[in-house]
Every structure is written in structure tokens, then in C-alpha cells.
Amino acid sequence: MIQVSLSTLLLIGMAVGIALLGIVWIAAVVRQRRFEKRAREDLVSCRICGNIYENLQKQNLTACPKCGSLNEALKPKPI
Ligand SMILES: [Zn+2]
């Protein structure tokens, strides 16, 4: 049996708790970034008026709802 003092046991418990909190936080950040990247892939930026709209039909060529010009479904540059 390993002899551990109460303060050492508390310290180990707090360290494990902080490590678990860090893992949960990193997992949440990774999930959020993945979600944002997926949401950005559906956006189309109009070459004529600069309007950014969703490509709901997942087509290669879409018409801008604002000015009506055809645009290729390319990823807009991050802001
Ligand atoms: Zn447009």
C-alpha cells in the first residue's frame, strides 16, 4: 500500500480535475472549429456585388440572389 498524505491526495485530485477540464475544453474548441469550417464550405461569394450567400443545392454554378450573376461555388477567403 502506498502511503499518501491528505494534502498530496488533494493536489493529485485537483491536478486530475484541471487536466480533465483542459481535455473537455480542447475537444469543444475542435468541435466548434470543425462546425464553422463545414458551415463556411456552403457559402458562395458573389464576384460582382460581393454578396455572400448559402449554396443550398450544392451546385457548382449558382445565381446570386441579389444581382443574379452566376458564380462558381468556391470557398470565400476568411475574414
Ligand atoms: Zn451578386
Side-chain angles (χ1 to χ4, degrees):
M1 188 84 186
I2 302 166
Q3 293 285 327
V4 180
S5 69
L6 186 62
S7 61
T8 307
L9 194 67
L10 281 172
L11 193 71
I12 291 169
M14 283 169 60
V16 167
I18 289 170
L20 282 174
L21 206 66
I23 289 168
V24 168
W25 182 49
I26 288 169
V29 167
V30 166
R31 186 186 295 165
Q32 180 71 24
R33 283 189 184 167
R34 205 174 286 167
F35 175 77
E36 285 174 0
K37 188 181 173 191
R38 199 174 298 154
R40 202 178 298 150
E41 282 174 356
D42 293 342
L43 294 177
V44 178
S45 176
C46 180
R47 290 180 301 161
I48 306 299
C49 67
N51 182 31
I52 296 174
Y53 58 96
E54 276 186 271
N55 183 12
L56 296 172
Q57 285 88 34
K58 312 256 181 202
Q59 292 171 334
N60 224 12
L61 212 64
T62 59
C64 175
K66 205 170 176 184
C67 68
S69 70
L70 292 174
N71 295 291
E72 271 187 85
L74 297 173
K75 265 196 278 183
K77 288 173 192 160
I79 300 166

